[in-house]
Amino acid sequence: MITVKYRKGMLTLSNVWFSQDIMSSITGKVSGADLIIVHGVDAQNVDGIFIRNKQYTLITDLKVEETSLMAGVKKNVRYEIHRCEKEGARIEFHESSQIMSNLECVRGLRDVYEQMYFEKGLKVKFNYRLFLEYIRNNVAVITIGLVDNTPLVFHSYITDGSKVRLLHSASNFRSSSHDKAQIGRLNKYLHYKDMVSFRSQGISDYDWGGISSLDDPNGIDQFKISFGGKMHSYDNYIIGNTVFGKVTVICMKSVNRITRFVKHVHTTN
């Protein structure tokens, strides 16, 4: 289990990953945290005031032979992976100890991630402070796909040594010398090489970091599905751990109710 605390405004948050039993695993490990955020667990009975959200994802089994791992990938994606390799793509794999000595790859990830969403008309901020805490706790990995020594694709992960979960995937489509199709191939190639690298380290499960829908997958979901992972569902919890944290959760619940009510009005009239 991974437990990482950090500050966000007036709140102290504790992020918990790869936990099996919420209440017993967090007891005594979240002292001073206003909110406990538990990622990816089976639905459980939780004491206190909390918000629970269902999430769907895909998990690729890394315990199989590498030939079976590739065989699980759709034929057209396999072709693009092999083509990308012939194009001279290069992969960098940075573990936490390496990242701490050179934070440039984190800044590169942040810049490409935020720009990617900006180009879609969305203002999404990379949580730099939290990611630094993951690095300090030796649980973060950044991988980079390069062509002609130009970093074009970034992935980030959190891992406990037996399982790994994708946190960010960002592609630099601003490059003037590389077309979007080539960058798209590089993204596929990097995902596959990431899985091969994690498999060689003895990691058993590769979690694709969530999909939007099992029944009506969008384009990103279809991309992830093309690698052959199995559908899986779990729950995320936000738990109030102090008086301040409990009040915050109650306020968040009220906002969620208002949002659902407004959505209901607009979709039924």
Side-chain angles (χ1 to χ4, degrees), residues 187-226:
N187 189 28
K188 297 180 180 71
Y189 180 65
L190 183 59
H191 274 297
Y192 180 73
K193 296 299 286 185
D194 289 348
M195 289 191 289
V196 171
S197 295
F198 288 127
R199 178 186 173 278
S200 69
Q201 297 174 21
I203 290 175
S204 61
D205 295 325
Y206 181 97
D207 187 329
W208 284 85
I211 59 173
S212 63
S213 172
L214 295 177
D215 301 320
D216 186 24
N218 62 24
I220 295 175
D221 297 339
Q222 293 286 1
F223 171 87
K224 295 178 179 180
I225 290 169
S226 69

Side-chain angles (χ1 to χ4, degrees), residues 18 62 159-164 198 201-206:
F18 307 114
L62 300 183
T159 179
D160 66 349
S162 63
K163 298 179 180 180
V164 65
F198 288 127
Q201 297 174 21
I203 290 175
S204 61
D205 295 325
Y206 181 97

Side-chain angles (χ1 to χ4, degrees), residues 7-67:
R7 294 281 299 178
K8 185 176 182 180
M10 298 176 63
L11 292 166
T12 300
L13 285 67
S14 179
N15 277 257
V16 180
W17 295 86
F18 307 114
S19 172
Q20 298 300 316
D21 177 31
I22 296 176
M23 299 312 296
S24 64
S25 61
I26 65 178
T27 300
K29 295 187 178 181
V30 292
S31 176
D34 298 303
L35 296 178
I36 304 168
I37 304 172
V38 185
H39 302 267
V41 295
D42 294 330
Q44 299 177 28
N45 293 321
V46 177
D47 297 333
I49 298 171
F50 64 90
I51 295 171
R52 179 172 61 204
N53 292 310
K54 177 71 69 178
Q55 183 174 13
Y56 301 98
T57 192
L58 296 159
I59 294 179
T60 297
D61 183 4
L62 300 183
K63 298 185 296 296
V64 300
E65 295 295 325
E66 187 177 337
T67 52

